[in-house]
Amino acid sequence: MIESLQERVNADAALLRRGRYLTTTVLLEVGATAWLIAIHQGRISAVTKGPFVMPSSSLALRAPAEEWAKFWSKRPPPGANDLMALIKRRVLRVDGDLQIFMANLRYFKDVLAKLRAVEGAAA
């Protein structure tokens, strides 16, 4: 599913415009599985699945797989519908350069929401 993130984000012109000043690498941990997401001027240039020995990223988002599954469901339950809600419940850990995360919070929320189940698709 995460492999489709590049295609889904890069097809959204409004999202690319929102992230046009962001160039970074993000480590996304879904339980024990790690993904490196390379972003260049808002466009996702690569999505690489781990395991990694020493991944280089400016920001890491870490949560259990069950929490990501709730977040990516078609209609997430309260407390699992937003990145800040996951942080408030202490199930999402954000490590690294928090300035990048907070300055581009809406971009990150929208990027990760692109992985939500779509109408008519199997969950």
Side-chain angles (χ1 to χ4, degrees), residues 11 30 43 47 63 71 90 101 105 111 123:
V30 180
R43 183 175 292 277
V47 176
F71 179 81
R90 297 177 188 246
F101 180 68
L105 182 59
V111 164

Side-chain angles (χ1 to χ4, degrees), residues 73-90:
S73 65
K74 188 168 83 172
R75 301 193 88 170
N81 62 328
D82 185 77
L83 293 181
M84 295 308 282
L86 293 173
I87 291 170
K88 184 177 181 181
R89 289 182 36 238
R90 297 177 188 246

Side-chain angles (χ1 to χ4, degrees), residues 66-110:
E66 307 82 49
E67 293 298 329
W68 284 120
K70 287 183 210 173
F71 179 81
W72 288 323
S73 65
K74 188 168 83 172
R75 301 193 88 170
N81 62 328
D82 185 77
L83 293 181
M84 295 308 282
L86 293 173
I87 291 170
K88 184 177 181 181
R89 289 182 36 238
R90 297 177 188 246
V91 294
L92 174 63
R93 234 177 54 227
V94 180
D95 299 319
D97 191 345
L98 295 181
Q99 193 278 332
I100 292 173
F101 180 68
M102 294 306 292
N104 298 283
L105 182 59
R106 178 73 188 271
Y107 175 82
F108 286 118
K109 286 180 178 187
D110 290 348

